[in-house]
Structures are given as structure tokens and as C-alpha cells.
């Protein structure tokens, strides 16, 4: 209270003090001030833009950060896995994986849909993070004896498990039922591309909102698969040591990034995706869809580095001879870089890059032959 009274007293006292007439007069004078055209700084603004452009180009070409982070040890598979931990951690951090939140006490659910001569079909639901579930179609082959391998079959952009499975499977062909025909159980998950009653850009909107709270749609959709495996690999019919993942287009993307973070997936087939974003980036850096624009995507985590995180596990990459150039040409250029990892670790046959006679479609023949060999 004394302090407040003192301040008030000072204010009152200052109001009673006489004003210096000369000082008051000086304040009213309008002296000359320096003026300059706004355009005089055009050079400096342009130079700022040029400097940042040069800096970005230098970072694009600089491999020192990658070389410091990832020093592959090819002396053994175990040594290689250990040497890749830093890069794998960086990838997880860049996309906000694992997404925050833990689900406790909620079990998976399997609702029988139908059965046919090949297998029994279930609508499967798995808790992922609080209030969020992975949904998809789970098929168990008929006539199986003992435990069978599991294949994760991932649809592409704008698709769904139903599009990839029913009525001929469109350009997916036998990507789902082919697993069942070969005696494997299959889980075909659903990812978010469109939703009735929601905006047409619901995927991008959801991804941008997730980034603002510390994760991403890529991280969520990877978790939908990895946390589904927590339940699927405990089923009595599944051999938990024999798990593969296949996917077309966007599914080909997920067939790279999921196994890069999930070691339980032992064999991978990525169709009509490898090198797509690198192709776009080379032509126009900002042409990349927003959900591929995670931190360090083109400095530390190109498709070659993501594939390096799958090595030495068997990896088949498919590209259609008649597909768009963006879905083929850069993949052809980058494939030797991936092959070099497998050569140096002593497993050159475990990596295969196939340009098949076809378009933007899943190539059944090479995929199922590859899985038969390694699964």
C-alpha cells in the first residue's frame, strides 16, 4: 500500500511541476528527416532470396549429414542392423512415430463376413491409439495344416480392401486373394483417402492437423499395421516368424515405410511406387503431396535410405514398363544403390528390381514367386 501511495504521489507531483517553454517549443518544430525510396532495398531482398536458394541447393547435394548418421557395417546382418539404428530413429522422429497414446484393455474383434472355396472372411478391428482403430479384411485359407504365414496386403490411393479384393481386384489383380491361394492368411487394412460426409481433401486435412499435435498420418497408418500385428501374430493359425507385406502404388509406399520400422515383417513386395517422389522432386521440389513432406525427406530419407532400413530382409520392387515415367524411371536409376547394400552384406539375391510388361498394376507372377522363395 505504501508503494502504491508513493507512485500516486509522484504522479500528482509531476503534474504540478512547471513545463520548460523552450523544450515544448522544440517538440513542435518539424525538422528535416531522412527519406528513401522503398525500392532502394530491392537488391537486399533479392540477395536474401538468392542466398536461401543457394543454401537449399547446397543442402540437397550435401551427404555429410547422412554419412555421419548412417555408417553401415556390412560385417554381419546383426552388425548392419545395429549400424542402422540411428537412421531408423531419425525416420521415426521425422514422422512423429509412434503416435502418442496407449490403448489398454481393449481387444481386437473379428466379425465373420462370409466363406467360399478359398477361405473364411472376417471384418477385423484393432485398437491403435485412444479412440482410433485399424479396420480391414482378414482371410484365413481353408484346408490349412498347422500355422501359416501372414501377408499384409495394402491397397493404393483412393482404394480400399474391397476394391483390391472383389470383382476381379481391378489393377490389383490377385494381390489379396493370391495370398490365400498360396496358403497364406492375409490382412488387407483400410487407410484414409475418402470418407462419406467429409471433405474431399480429408486425407491432407487430417495429416496437417496431426502434424500440429506432434504426429502425422503416415505415423498413424504405420501404427495401424504394426499394432494390428500385435494381435494377429498371437492367433493360433499364424506363424509369427513368417510375415510379409505387399502393396501397390500408395500401398507400395507403405510396403517400404512400414517394414523400415517393423522388423517382424520379413519379406516385402513394393509395386509401382519406388522413386516416385524423387522423380517429382527433381522436376519441382514443391510438387510432392503433403503427406510425403516430412522432415529430411530428401536429405536423409530418400527411398534408397528407406530401403536400406529393410535390408537384409528380402525386398522385391516392381515397376510397370507402360506405367507413367514418374512411377518407373527414377526407380530404375535408384535401384542399383539399394542393390549395393545387399551385395555388400552378402545377399545379392535378396533384392530384386523388376520392370514387368504392364502398367500401373500389381504383378502377381513375380510377387508370389518371390514370396514362395523367402516366406
Amino acid at each position: 500500500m505504501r508503494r502504491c501511495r508513493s507512485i500516486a504521489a509522484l504522479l500528482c507531483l509531476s503534474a504540478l511541476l512547471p513545463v520548460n517553454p523552450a523544450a515544448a517549443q522544440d517538440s513542435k518544430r518539424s525538422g528535416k528527416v531522412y527519406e528513401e525510396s522503398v525500392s532502394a532495398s530491392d537488391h537486399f531482398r533479392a540477395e536474401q532470396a538468392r542466398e536461401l536458394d543457394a543454401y537449399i541447393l547446397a543442402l540437397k547435394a550435401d551427404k555429410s549429414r547422412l554419412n555421419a548418421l548412417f555408417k553401415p557395417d556390412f560385417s554381419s546382418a546383426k552388425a548392419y542392423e545395429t549400424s542402422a539404428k540411428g537412421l531408423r530413429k531419425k525416420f521415426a522422429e521425422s514422422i512423429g512415430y509412434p503416435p502418442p497414446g496407449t490403448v489398454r484393455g481393449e481387444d481386437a474383434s473379428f466379425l465373420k463376413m462370409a466363406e467360399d472355396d478359398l477361405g473364411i472372411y472376417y471384418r477385423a478391428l484393432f485398437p491403435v491409439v485412444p479412440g482410433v482403430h485399424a479396420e480391414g479384411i482378414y482371410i484365413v485359407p481353408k484346408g490349412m495344416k498347422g500355422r501359416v504365414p501372414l501377408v499384409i496386403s495394402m491397397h493404393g490411393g483412393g482404394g480400399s480392401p474391397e476394391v483390391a479384393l472383389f470383382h476381379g481386384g481391378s489393377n490389383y489383380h490377385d494381390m489379396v486373394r493370391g495370398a490365400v491361394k498360396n496358403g497364406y492368411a492375409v490382412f488387407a487394412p483400410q487407410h484414409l483417402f475418402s470418407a462419406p460426409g467429409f471433405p474431399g481433401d480429408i486425407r491432407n486435412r487430417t495429416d496437417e492437423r496431426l502434424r500440429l499435435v506432434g504426429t502425422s498420418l503416415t505415423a498413424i497408418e504405420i501404427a495401424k499395421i504394426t499394432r494390428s500385428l500385435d494381435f494377429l501374430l498371437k492367433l493360433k493359425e499364424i506363424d509369427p516368424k513368417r510375415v510379409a507385406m505387399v502393396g501397390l502404388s500408395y500401398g507400395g509406399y507403405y510396403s517400404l515405410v512400414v517394414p523400415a520400422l517393423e522388423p517382424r515383417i520379413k519379406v516385402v513386395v513394393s509395386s509401382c511406387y519406388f522413386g516416385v517422389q524423387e522423380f517429382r522432386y527433381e522436376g519441382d521440389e514443391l510438387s510432392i503431396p503433403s503427406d510425403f513432406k516430412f522432415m529430411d525427406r530428401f536429405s536423409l530419407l530418400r527411398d534408397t535410405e528407406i530401403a536400406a532400413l529393410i535390408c537384409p530382409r528380402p525386398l522385391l520392387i516392381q515397376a510397370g514398363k507402360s506405367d507413367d515415367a514418374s512411377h518407373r524411371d527414377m526407380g530404375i536409376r535408384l535401384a542399383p544403390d539399394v542393390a549395393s547394400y545387399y551385395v555388400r552384406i552378402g545377399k545379392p539375391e535378396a533384392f530384386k528390381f523388376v520392370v514387368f510388361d504392364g502398367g500401373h498394376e500389381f504383378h502377381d507372377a513375380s510377387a508370389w514367386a518371390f514370396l514362395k522363395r523367402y516366406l
Side-chain angles (χ1 to χ4, degrees), residues 81-99:
E81 283 291 318
T82 300
S83 69
K85 284 183 177 180
L87 183 61
R88 183 171 286 109
K89 180 180 178 183
K90 183 67 177 178
F91 175 42
E93 290 173 349
S94 72
I95 60 172
Y97 180 87

Side-chain angles (χ1 to χ4, degrees), residues 108-368:
S109 70
F110 296 88
L111 177 65
K112 185 177 178 180
M113 300 166 60
E115 62 180 283
D116 59 19
D117 293 341
L118 291 176
I120 305 173
Y121 300 70
Y122 298 88
R123 183 73 62 184
L125 203 66
F126 306 97
V128 180
V129 292
V132 176
H133 297 80
E135 181 271 329
I137 296 175
Y138 174 62
I139 311 172
V140 180
K142 282 188 173 178
M144 61 181 183
K145 297 179 180 178
R147 292 178 173 241
V148 298
L150 173 69
V151 175
I152 306 297
S153 183
M154 190 69 244
H155 68 80
S160 68
E162 291 78 10
V163 169
L165 173 59
F166 301 125
H167 309 294
S170 185
N171 58 329
Y172 298 96
H173 303 308
D174 238 3
M175 193 182 79
V176 180
R177 278 200 173 106
V180 185
K181 291 176 181 178
N182 281 279
Y184 312 140
V186 62
F187 175 55
Q190 173 70 65
H191 281 180
L192 177 64
F193 287 96
S194 63
F198 288 84
D201 62 345
I202 185 61
R203 181 176 181 82
N204 289 343
R205 291 169 64 90
T206 301
D207 180 55
E208 290 173 6
R209 293 175 66 201
L210 285 167
R211 289 172 190 269
L212 293 175
V213 293
T215 185
S216 66
L217 189 56
T218 290
I220 293 289
E221 293 185 332
I222 291 175
K224 284 189 173 186
I225 294 172
T226 61
R227 295 186 181 175
S228 296
L229 287 176
D230 293 342
F231 295 94
L232 290 166
L233 300 189
K234 293 178 182 177
L235 298 175
K236 64 180 185 303
E237 66 266 21
I238 299 299
D239 183 344
K241 295 182 180 180
R242 300 170 69 195
V243 182
M245 184 166 180
V246 303
L248 171 67
S249 195
Y250 244 108
Y253 165 64
Y254 280 101
S255 291
L256 293 175
V257 296
V258 177
L261 294 174
E262 177 51 83
R264 292 176 293 182
I265 297 173
K266 303 300 184 183
V267 188
V268 178
V269 178
S270 175
S271 184
C272 298
Y273 170 79
F274 183 73
V276 171
Q277 308 313 326
E278 282 76 6
F279 183 96
R280 291 169 175 166
Y281 187 71
E282 187 176 75
D284 177 0
E285 294 168 354
L286 300 183
S287 65
I288 312 304
S290 63
D291 51 334
F292 297 111
K293 291 178 181 174
F294 49 81
M295 190 71 72
D296 279 314
R297 172 65 178 85
F298 295 100
S299 55
L300 301 177
L301 297 162
R302 299 175 306 157
D303 282 354
T304 46
E305 283 71 57
I306 298 299
L309 293 176
I310 298 173
C311 179
R313 289 168 287 167
L315 169 62
L316 167 65
I317 295 175
Q318 301 178 342
K321 187 183 298 183
S322 304
D323 202 353
D324 292 340
S326 63
H327 288 72
R328 177 191 62 251
D329 290 359
M330 185 62 77
I332 293 173
R333 285 168 53 184
L334 297 178
D337 293 339
V338 181
S340 68
Y341 288 103
Y342 285 83
V343 170
R344 295 180 67 184
I345 208 167
K347 295 186 176 182
E349 73 289 344
F351 174 73
K352 194 171 184 180
F353 183 86
V354 174
V355 180
F356 62 88
D357 190 12
H360 196 70
E361 56 191 302
F362 189 75
H363 189 243
D364 287 301
S366 61
W368 300 121

